[in-house]
Amino acid sequence: MSLGGSEQPLIPQPPATVTALRQAIMQVAPAALPAFTRELDQAADEARLGSDLGPLRRFSGQWAIYVHIQRQPHLAARFRELEDRAQHGDADQARAAATELGRILDEAQAALSEGTSS
């Protein structure tokens, strides 16, 4: 979902580090901070138990996508609307909403991979 001139992101996309993501979440979605902390603790425990950084990489990647979406008010609102429709709509509405949610997530991932997340 592309942004028009008046739909600029609230903040620049931060690097996918725990500190930068935490600061971004405090700015764009402070209500998500408890989930961020809980999931960080879980990822750290899994990484420690498995002697593998994979869980921490997944955590950072998922939260970078979350921030990418939440820092864009129109996109964040559309995402919430689609989540609601996927959960509460009829089968056709849920399927269409899930498809669009997937597209938004894919676009966010691609933007982050390219480093062009404006």
Side-chain angles (χ1 to χ4, degrees):
M1 185 170 275
S2 58
L3 296 175
S6 65
E7 299 177 20
Q8 294 300 311
L10 298 173
I11 61 170
Q13 180 68 34
T17 65
V18 171
T19 300
L21 291 171
R22 180 183 290 118
Q23 290 172 348
I25 289 166
M26 288 187 327
Q27 290 182 282
V28 299
L33 203 50
F36 177 89
T37 302
R38 185 174 52 254
E39 290 179 23
L40 173 59
D41 290 346
Q42 182 180 8
D45 288 346
E46 289 175 14
R48 189 173 36 257
L49 290 172
S51 298
D52 175 22
L53 293 178
L56 288 170
R57 286 188 191 107
R58 280 189 298 281
F59 167 84
S60 294
Q62 290 169 347
W63 280 95
I65 289 171
Y66 178 82
V67 167
H68 175 83
I69 292 168
Q70 295 303 312
R71 68 192 188 93
Q72 301 174 67
H74 287 85
L75 184 57
R78 179 67 177 151
F79 198 85
R80 285 188 299 274
E81 175 188 325
L82 291 166
E83 286 179 317
D84 185 59
R85 192 177 304 162
Q87 189 171 25
H88 302 292
D90 64 32
D92 289 338
Q93 291 173 329
R95 193 171 14 265
T99 298
E100 190 171 347
L101 284 166
R103 183 187 55 73
I104 290 170
L105 291 169
D106 288 347
E107 288 177 2
Q109 177 64 52
L112 292 171
S113 295
E114 295 169 6
T116 59
S117 53
S118 55

